[in-house]
């Protein structure tokens, strides 16, 4: 009998507070559904069978824990609004004679109801939409999919394993709050007088300094590898800086404005500035969270989308021709014209057996070495054991791969007529900049850089590497290398390898390439064994074979980006909604007082409007600012993933921002409506 | 000369679908002279609050007129009502109605700032008032930092700072302890002696006994009124108490 009572009371409580409970329930249903879908990909056999599906599953394995942690924090946060609301009611029940123990049963029932709805509803929704998500994934990966419906039991179990404890923890938290407060405290919990926020100049200024420093780092880095390392530092600084600035900095600004009597005591500023102080104190953290979430969504979606849409482009850069071959010679004798003609002949013959022919050739002789370039004096240290990344001295310095290319090959490939004197070189710098007109290697060789050439097809391994590359076009490779040729690095490997790059298209269709590439390469190796052509080892890369792994990696990232973005946007919307609602209730009495004291409702509305607008658009303005400064550093990091199409990245970023801003404004319209309804006391039901 | 003329004011509240008609005020008529201190007494439900809302132009009467200093409230456009209230009326509420986001000083300045007064002249106006009310040391404090009595004094300062034609006080001592109440009432009579017209709605005989005239409202009508005449506070207190007893036991006007 009594059990029935608490169930009824719990149901009643949820129904009566539906303005608060409905969004919470929707949120937990949504988060559960989202989690199930992501989890579905981890266990689904259909996904595993897609080409590149294994890459997606590996990516998701990392993502799923981020998502679990995020879901927990998010549900806790939204639930805290609920507890604050419900405490009054609990206090009343307590005074009317319900013991704490009875209240506990009430809370337990409430949690059971909400958890059941969320888990059942969430998983049904998840199962429903998992097929759709699968189709989208298949489309992104350019893979085929079956039409069956799959419900992996593991996904359901795992979702339960994550979400049951989350709801349990939320319940324990509510119990704790009721357990440790008295009836009167519960009753009054909603109307506790607030101390006026003090301006904390230390944290306010620290926040601004952190942001400025992070921005400076982001725009001043030149080397992609360093960018990758520093990026996480910059992200941490921006997050801390945003929180400090929004929480302390905003209060500080308001206080400074208040000190300026001529500004402050104006009808337009008086009420707005003084209420803003309180609003910011209460909302600083929430706004900073929205800002960070927005920035994350934008960074994630724009970079993964750019990578995905740029895959073809990156593929072409990484694999300039359909067939790409590298021959690492024993010594410079392998560079002789006869030897190279011999290899070319064998390749053409083998390809011919499969109905293809060599066309659109790029080939050049090069000697490759890697080293650490000090931008301040133009010296290169090639013994790679001597330095590490964290000791680069300046952020401009970096590791380079150096390609020495002969002038003859350059003129032949690019149809030019350049000339060079001994000791002179032309340079092409990839993924970095080099402004000095001289470069000298640690073992003596110094080159005067005559000019920088506008284009050069950097070999695929250089594109694939995370380091920057510098091509030095010299009159004679062997002479240029000089003493370096005999050196070994700390591993005992020789530091200069004479390499002949040979890239060409085949005249075979994509399907034929996929089928025959490996066979052609094997047949060729048999026809011309290494010892017959002075080759130490050789490497073959077929574009058609690599295309699939490119799409699965970038497609997987893009897909994960979309999923996480949906979750983050979802979170941001809910934070905004609860913020507006809870503020509406708090502002209501203030609204009345102002009216009594002689403020017209028009004046009040105007003032509230300007406050809402400020509070609302602050996060997105900050997000835009973050994004602007993040752009250069992300651009560099994307280079590591092979994306050098800045225009694409820029367009995608602007597009994402526009969509996001539009969506955000829509949410603003909806939530501010319910805010006005509350302050003006209009009942919704 | 009458500063406030209330003629045959009637107020009827109608339920949502035309049913449930409640007559809060039947027909109320009275005048308040310039410089007078009038207390209105009545039990809960007698129509006191309705009357006060109508006088404050927060509500409109169903019939009858309210004229403040020659202006008929019914003729003031909705858009300028708030400005009218701000310039002509001062309010003191039972629950102080101070904004917790402002210091006491800023709370007091609020009506002036809304009228666009500049900072120095606001301060010039505040100084004598604050001194009279004994709050100069509290001006930079926030409402949550001071006692109820101090809050109410700040509220009185806010009501006075615009030099209103009439101060309307709604149970001003309702939320105060007896010592603070006495002090506040003393302030009210002092303010009144300096020429300020005050109209106070109250339950408390103690509060009413400092007024110059007490009107009793019952069932939406002015049922009876008493003038202080030459009485001291104490003897006026006794007369009010007697009148209330008679009214409560159903007697006719004395």
């Amino acid at each position: 009998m009594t059990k029935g009572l608490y169930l009824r009371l719990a149901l009643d409580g949820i129904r009566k507070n539906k303005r608060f409970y409905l969004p919470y329930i929707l949120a937990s249903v949504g988060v559960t559904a989202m989690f199930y879908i992501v989890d579905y990909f981890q266990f689904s056999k259909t996904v595993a069978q897609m080409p590149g599906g294994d890459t997606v599953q590996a990516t998701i394995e990392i993502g799923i824990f981020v998502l679990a942690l995020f879901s927990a924090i998010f549900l806790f946060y939204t639930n805290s609004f609920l507890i604050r609301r419900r405490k009054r009611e609990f206090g009343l029940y307590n005074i009317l004679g319900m013991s704490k123990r009875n209240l506990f049963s009430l809370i337990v029932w409430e949690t059971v109801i909400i958890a059941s709805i969320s888990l059942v509803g969430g998983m049904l929704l998840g199962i429903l939409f998992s097929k759709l998500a699968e189709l989208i994934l298949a489309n992104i990966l350019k893979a085929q999919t079956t039409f069956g419906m799959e419900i992996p039991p593991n996904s359901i179990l795992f979702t339960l394993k994550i979400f049951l404890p989350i709801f349990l923890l939320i319940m324990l938290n509510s119990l704790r709050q009721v357990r440790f407060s008295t009836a009167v405290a519960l009753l009054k919990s909603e109307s506790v007088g607030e101390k006026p926020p003090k301006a904390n100049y230390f944290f306010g200024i620290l926040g601004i300094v952190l942001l400025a420093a992070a921005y400076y780092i982001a725009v001043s880095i030149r080397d992609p590898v360093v960018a990758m390392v520093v990026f996480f530092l910059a992200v941490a600084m921006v997050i801390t800086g945003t929180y400090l600035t929004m929480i302390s900095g905003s209060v500080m600004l308001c206080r400074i404005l208040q000190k300026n009597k001529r500004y402050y005591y104006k009808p337009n500023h008086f009420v707005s500035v003084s209420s803003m102080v309180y609003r910011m104190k209460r909302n600083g953290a929430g706004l900073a969270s929205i800002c960070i979430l927005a920035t994350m969504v934008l960074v994630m979606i724009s970079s993964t989308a750019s990578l995905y849409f740029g895959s073809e482009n990156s593929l072409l850069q990484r694999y300039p021709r359909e067939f790409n071959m590298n021959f690492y010679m024993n010594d410079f004798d392998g560079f002789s014209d006869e030897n190279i003609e011999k290899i070319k002949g064998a390749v053409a013959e083998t390809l011919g057996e499969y109905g293809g022919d060599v066309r659109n050739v790029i080939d050049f002789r090069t000697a490759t070495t890697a080293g650490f370039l000090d931008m301040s004096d133009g010296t290169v240290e090639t013994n790679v054991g001597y330095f590490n990344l964290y000791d680069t001295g300046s952020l401009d310095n970096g590791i380079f791969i150096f390609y020495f290319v002969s002038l003859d090959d350059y003129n032949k490939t690019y149809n030019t007529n350049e000339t060079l004197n001994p000791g002179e070189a032309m340079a092409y710098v990839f993924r970095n900049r080099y402004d000095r007109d001289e470069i000298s290697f640690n073992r003596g060789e110094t080159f005067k850089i005559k000019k920088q050439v506008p284009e050069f097809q950097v070999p695929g391994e250089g594109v694939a590497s995370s380091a920057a590359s510098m091509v030095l076009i010299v009159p004679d490779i062997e002479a240029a290398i000089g003493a370096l040729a005999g050196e070994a690095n700390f591993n005992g490997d020789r530091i200069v390898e004479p390499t002949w790059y040979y890239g060409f298209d085949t005249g075979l269709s994509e399907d034929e390439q996929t089928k025959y590439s490996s066979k052609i390469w094997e047949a060729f190796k048999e026809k011309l064994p290494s010892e017959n052509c002075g080759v130490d080892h050789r490497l073959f890369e077929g574009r058609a074979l690599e295309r699939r792994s490119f799409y699965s990696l970038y497609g997987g990232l893009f897909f994960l980006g979309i999923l996480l973005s949906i979750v983050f946007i979802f979170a941001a919307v809910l934070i905004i909604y609860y913020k507006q609602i809870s503020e509406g209730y708090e502002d209501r009495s203030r609204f009345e007082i102002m009216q009594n004291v002689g403020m017209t409702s028009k004046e009040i509305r105007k003032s509230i409007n300007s406050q809402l607008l400020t509070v609302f658009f602050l996060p997105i303005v900050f997000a835009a600012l973050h994004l602007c400064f993040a752009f250069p550093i992300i651009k560099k990091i994307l280079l590591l993933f092979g994306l050098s199409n800045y225009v694409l990245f820029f367009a995608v970023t602007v597009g994402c921002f526009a969509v996001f801003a539009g969506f955000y404004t829509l949410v603003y319209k909806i939530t501010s409506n319910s805010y006005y309804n509350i302050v003006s006391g209009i009942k919704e039901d | 000369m009458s500063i406030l003329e209330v003629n045959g004011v009637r107020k009827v509240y109608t339920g949502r679908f035309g049913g449930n008609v409640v007559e809060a005020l039947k027909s109320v008529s009275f005048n308040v002279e310039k410089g007078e201190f009038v207390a209105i007494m009545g039990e809960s439900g007698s129509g006191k609050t309705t009357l006060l809302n109508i006088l404050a132009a927060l509500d409109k009467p169903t019939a009858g007129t309210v004229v403040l200093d020659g202006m008929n409230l019914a003729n003031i456009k909705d858009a300028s009502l708030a400005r009218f209230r701000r310039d002509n009326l001062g309010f003191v509420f039972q629950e102080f109605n101070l904004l917790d986001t402002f210091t006491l000083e800023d709370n007091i300045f609020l009506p002036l700032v809304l009228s666009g007064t500049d900072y120095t002249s606001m301060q010039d106006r505040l100084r004598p008032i604050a001194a009279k009310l004994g709050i100069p040391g509290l001006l930079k404090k926030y409402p949550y930092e001071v006692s109820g009595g101090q809050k109410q004094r700040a509220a009185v300062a806010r009501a006075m700072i615009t030099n209103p034609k009439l101060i309307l006080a709604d149970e001003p001592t309702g939320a105060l302890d007896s010592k603070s109440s006495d002090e506040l009432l003393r302030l009210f009579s002092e303010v009144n002696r300096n020429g300020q017209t005050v109209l106070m709605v109250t339950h408390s005989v103690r509060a009413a006994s400092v007024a110059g005239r007490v009107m009793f409202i019952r069932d939406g009508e002015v049922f009876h009124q008493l003038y202080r005449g030459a009485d001291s506070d104490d003897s006026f207190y006794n007369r009010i108490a007697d009148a209330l007893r008679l009214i409560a036991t159903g007697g006719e006007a004395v």
Side-chain angles (χ1 to χ4, degrees):
Chain A
M1 184 63 219
T2 32
K3 269 224 174 78
L5 172 73
Y6 295 123
L7 174 59
R8 256 206 330 275
L9 275 176
L11 279 172
D12 253 20
I14 294 173
R15 210 174 298 137
K16 274 196 212 115
N17 290 294
K18 64 168 178 259
R19 208 204 286 265
F20 285 85
Y21 274 90
L22 200 63
Y24 176 63
I25 293 175
L26 285 180
S28 27
V29 168
V31 172
T32 316
M34 215 58 218
F35 192 87
Y36 172 82
I37 292 173
V38 175
D39 209 37
Y40 166 77
F41 286 108
Q42 200 186 354
F43 294 109
S44 159
K45 289 193 191 75
T46 327
V47 173
Q49 281 157 4
M50 285 184 197
D54 45 347
T55 321
V56 172
Q57 289 188 329
T59 328
I60 277 175
E61 220 171 316
I62 307 164
I64 197 111
F65 283 98
V66 179
L67 192 61
L69 186 70
F70 179 79
S71 312
I73 296 174
F74 173 57
L75 288 181
F76 254 85
Y77 179 81
T78 39
N79 185 61
S80 70
F81 283 99
L82 289 183
I83 303 182
R84 228 186 303 160
R85 285 295 295 176
R86 287 313 297 282
K87 269 187 180 170
R88 216 184 108 81
E89 201 176 316
F90 290 154
L92 190 64
Y93 288 146
N94 199 195
I95 284 172
L96 291 178
M98 234 188 229
S99 70
K100 287 272 173 78
R101 185 182 292 268
N102 300 145
L103 285 180
F104 291 167
S105 349
L106 190 61
I107 293 175
V108 171
W109 271 114
E110 224 178 81
T111 314
V112 169
I113 294 168
I114 292 176
S116 326
I117 296 177
S118 311
L119 290 177
V120 175
M123 277 193 281
L124 284 178
L125 207 68
I127 290 168
L128 212 66
F129 279 95
S130 60
K131 188 68 198 173
L132 178 70
E134 184 194 302
L135 290 173
I136 294 173
L137 177 70
N139 194 299
I140 287 176
L141 294 183
K142 306 205 182 307
Q144 301 288 322
T145 178
T146 53
F147 280 94
M149 187 95 175
E150 195 192 351
I151 305 173
N154 273 338
S155 303
I156 292 190
L157 281 179
F158 193 68
T159 309
L160 288 176
K161 230 174 11 199
I162 295 290
F163 277 83
L164 282 178
I166 291 181
F167 282 113
L168 189 70
L169 283 173
I170 287 176
M171 183 179 81
L172 289 178
N173 184 42
S174 317
L175 292 179
R176 185 184 59 89
Q177 299 215 16
V178 171
R179 169 80 184 74
F180 292 112
S181 38
T182 63
V184 178
L186 285 175
L187 258 182
K188 288 198 171 155
S189 52
E190 243 189 308
S191 53
V192 180
E194 238 184 314
K195 288 187 180 180
K198 285 237 158 52
N200 190 327
Y201 285 84
F202 175 72
F203 283 124
I205 291 170
L206 182 68
I208 294 167
V209 168
L210 275 176
L211 279 186
Y215 287 167
Y216 175 75
I217 291 178
V219 294
S220 60
I221 283 185
R222 282 206 223 153
D223 187 276
V225 183
V226 182
M228 187 82 174
V229 176
V230 175
F231 182 70
F232 294 98
L233 175 74
V235 167
M237 283 165 79
V238 166
I239 291 178
T240 325
T242 307
Y243 274 95
L244 289 179
T245 311
M246 295 239 178
I247 296 170
S248 303
S250 54
V251 173
M252 191 174 85
L253 180 71
C254 290
R255 287 291 180 224
I256 291 171
L257 290 179
Q258 280 181 320
K259 289 226 171 84
N260 181 351
K261 307 282 183 211
R262 291 186 55 165
Y263 175 86
Y264 178 50
Y265 290 103
K266 287 270 175 301
N268 290 339
H269 308 148
F270 191 58
V271 175
S272 306
V273 172
S274 60
S275 331
M276 273 307 275
V277 183
Y278 282 79
R279 230 176 258 274
M280 286 314 295
K281 184 202 166 200
R282 261 181 278 129
N283 297 321
L287 293 181
S289 308
I290 295 175
C291 171
I292 297 293
L293 287 176
T295 315
M296 286 206 277
V297 166
L298 289 169
V299 165
M300 217 159 45
I301 215 63
S302 55
S303 53
T304 52
S306 304
L307 280 180
Y308 176 70
F309 292 120
S311 331
E312 194 58 38
N313 213 315
S314 314
L315 186 75
L316 291 182
Q317 201 176 37
R318 173 67 181 82
Y319 308 104
R321 293 294 182 265
E322 285 170 5
F323 278 23
N324 304 275
M325 300 174 177
N326 287 317
F327 295 88
Y328 304 94
M329 305 296 182
N330 291 321
D331 47 43
F332 285 98
D333 295 344
F335 276 179
S336 70
D337 286 342
E338 310 87 81
N339 191 39
I340 282 176
E341 284 313 317
K342 184 160 73 183
I343 299 173
K344 279 185 173 173
V347 169
E349 202 183 314
T350 324
L351 189 58
E353 287 161 16
Y354 286 86
D357 56 81
V358 174
R359 51 174 87 165
N360 203 6
V361 176
I362 313 182
D363 78 303
F364 53 83
R365 283 161 263 229
T366 174
T368 314
T369 187
F372 176 71
L373 173 58
D374 188 336
M375 295 281 183
S376 62
D377 59 3
T379 57
V380 180
E381 170 61 58
T382 50
N383 200 333
V384 200
Y386 289 169
F387 63 88
N388 68 56
L389 248 176
Y390 300 98
D391 192 26
T392 52
S394 154
L395 295 177
D396 293 343
N397 299 337
I399 300 174
F400 279 76
I401 301 176
F402 295 95
Y403 294 96
F404 292 92
V405 174
S406 77
L407 182 63
D408 287 347
D409 281 348
Y410 175 78
N411 278 336
K412 203 171 66 197
T413 312
Y414 293 94
N415 282 325
T416 49
N417 252 327
E418 302 285 352
T419 54
L420 289 170
N421 296 320
E424 273 185 344
M426 295 190 297
Y428 176 77
V429 183
F430 177 64
R431 285 191 191 156
N432 206 326
R433 260 168 47 208
Y434 186 68
D435 305 324
R436 308 182 69 87
D437 55 6
E438 232 180 39
I439 187 165
S440 64
F441 287 75
N442 56 326
R443 302 296 186 270
E445 243 8 90
T446 299
F447 301 95
K448 207 166 171 50
I449 295 175
K450 189 181 171 195
K451 68 175 206 176
Q452 305 223 355
V453 297
E455 62 160 345
F456 193 91
Q457 178 58 56
V458 174
E461 55 171 17
V463 178
S465 156
S466 49
S469 304
M470 188 187 292
V471 178
L472 287 167
I473 298 150
V474 293
D476 179 347
I477 299 177
E478 213 175 333
I481 296 287
L484 279 178
E487 295 270 340
N489 70 4
F490 65 108
N491 271 336
D493 297 331
R494 54 186 183 159
I495 59 174
V496 176
E497 282 194 312
T499 312
W500 177 57
Y501 168 75
Y502 185 35
F504 55 88
D505 290 342
T506 58
L508 296 174
S509 72
E510 180 88 10
D511 275 351
E512 287 169 328
Q513 288 176 46
T514 314
K515 260 190 228 154
Y516 302 133
S517 290
S518 306
K519 285 184 188 152
I520 294 172
W521 180 242
E522 290 308 319
F524 159 72
K525 281 206 290 193
E526 235 166 82
K527 188 165 293 188
L528 187 66
S530 294
E531 53 273 22
N532 290 356
C533 53
V535 166
D536 180 65
H537 60 285
R538 45 191 162 177
L539 176 75
F540 168 76
E541 289 169 328
R543 193 197 285 158
L545 289 179
E546 306 294 343
R547 177 170 272 118
R548 186 181 289 172
S549 76
F550 248 67
Y551 274 94
S552 68
L553 175 63
Y554 296 150
L557 282 174
F558 182 37
F559 188 69
L560 201 67
I562 294 175
L563 285 180
L564 286 179
S565 297
I566 293 176
V567 176
F568 284 175
I569 287 178
F570 200 47
V573 169
L574 256 123
I575 295 175
I576 294 165
Y577 178 80
Y578 277 116
K579 196 187 68 58
Q580 298 274 60
I581 296 255
S582 57
E583 254 174 45
Y585 282 106
E586 281 161 21
D587 289 348
R588 200 171 171 167
S589 56
R590 243 170 248 148
F591 189 92
E592 271 169 26
I593 295 176
M594 289 184 201
Q595 206 162 26
N596 285 338
V597 176
M599 217 167 158
T600 63
S601 44
K602 210 170 130 195
E603 282 169 329
I604 296 174
R605 219 181 151 96
K606 209 171 108 190
S607 151
I608 286 180
N609 230 340
S610 81
Q611 290 174 51
L612 282 188
L613 275 177
T614 316
V615 166
F616 206 79
F617 284 101
L618 201 66
I620 199 162
V621 168
F622 261 80
L625 197 66
H626 289 346
L627 204 61
C628 287
F629 281 99
F631 190 81
I633 192 167
I634 295 171
K635 193 176 83 178
K636 297 223 166 56
I637 292 173
L638 288 181
L639 266 180
L640 299 183
F641 287 90
L643 182 85
S644 50
N645 191 342
Y646 301 151
V647 181
L648 174 74
F649 178 46
F650 183 75
V652 170
T653 309
V654 170
C656 288
F657 187 79
V659 171
F660 187 82
F663 181 74
Y664 196 76
T665 313
L666 188 73
V667 174
Y668 168 72
K669 287 266 184 244
I670 295 167
T671 57
S672 61
N673 245 345
S674 50
Y675 174 89
Y676 281 125
N677 285 348
I678 293 168
V679 281
S680 48
I682 297 168
K683 279 244 161 75
E684 267 183 5
D685 39 351
Chain B
M1 176 204 148
S2 288
I3 193 136
L4 180 70
E5 295 165 28
V6 180
N7 289 313
V9 165
R10 178 165 189 259
K11 179 70 187 178
V12 178
Y13 291 106
T14 314
R16 210 185 323 192
F17 302 108
N20 222 355
V21 180
V22 176
E23 194 175 38
L25 296 175
K26 266 187 199 143
S27 170
V28 175
S29 304
F30 63 89
N31 287 355
V32 175
E33 304 302 314
K34 198 169 176 156
E36 234 192 329
F37 186 172
V38 177
I40 296 178
M41 294 194 79
E43 292 178 10
S44 329
S46 59
K48 279 180 313 196
T49 311
T50 308
L51 178 61
L52 199 72
N53 282 343
I54 289 172
L55 297 184
L58 290 169
D59 206 346
K60 282 188 190 309
T62 315
T65 56
V66 177
V67 179
L68 179 72
D69 200 19
M71 281 173 291
N72 187 341
L73 297 195
N75 295 341
I76 301 170
K77 279 194 214 97
D78 276 354
S80 38
L81 263 180
R83 168 159 273 277
F84 169 80
R85 268 204 295 278
R86 194 158 72 208
D87 294 343
N88 298 289
L89 298 171
F91 294 93
V92 180
F93 306 89
Q94 176 173 359
E95 293 295 341
F96 324 126
N97 276 1
L98 295 176
L99 291 165
D100 53 5
T101 52
F102 283 127
T103 58
L104 295 189
E105 181 177 56
D106 287 351
N107 263 297
I108 298 170
F109 283 161
L110 181 61
L112 290 184
V113 173
L114 293 176
S115 321
T117 318
D118 71 286
Y119 182 64
T120 37
S121 69
M122 286 197 297
Q123 278 202 312
D124 291 343
R125 280 214 224 174
L126 174 62
R127 223 170 287 122
I129 295 175
K132 206 185 291 170
L133 296 176
I135 51 171
L138 303 173
L139 290 176
K140 297 291 174 200
K141 294 209 186 287
Y142 282 85
Y144 85 100
E145 295 174 297
V146 301
S147 72
Q150 290 166 331
K151 274 187 227 176
Q152 197 59 299
R153 275 184 274 159
V156 173
R158 181 180 60 191
M160 286 172 63
I161 201 152
T162 52
N163 288 323
K165 300 200 168 89
L166 179 65
I167 287 185
L168 293 171
D170 185 5
E171 297 280 9
T173 60
L176 301 180
D177 60 71
S178 60
K179 191 164 160 282
S180 309
S181 297
D182 287 350
E183 217 168 326
L184 186 80
L185 293 170
R186 188 184 57 73
L187 280 175
F188 264 127
S189 49
E190 197 182 310
V191 166
N192 172 244
R193 265 200 303 282
N194 290 338
Q196 175 69 58
T197 318
V198 179
L199 192 142
M200 172 171 70
V201 168
T202 185
H203 251 90
S204 150
V205 181
R206 180 85 198 84
S209 68
V210 298
R213 172 159 60 122
V214 181
M215 287 192 291
F216 299 91
I217 290 195
R218 197 172 78 172
D219 301 332
E221 280 177 310
V222 178
F223 176 74
H224 181 53
Q225 59 178 341
L226 290 177
Y227 283 89
R228 169 192 290 269
D231 278 1
S232 69
D233 282 3
D234 283 344
S235 51
F236 195 37
Y237 179 98
N238 289 330
R239 278 171 60 205
I240 298 168
D242 289 343
L244 277 177
R245 199 174 312 125
L246 274 171
I247 294 167
T249 50
E252 286 300 309
V254 216

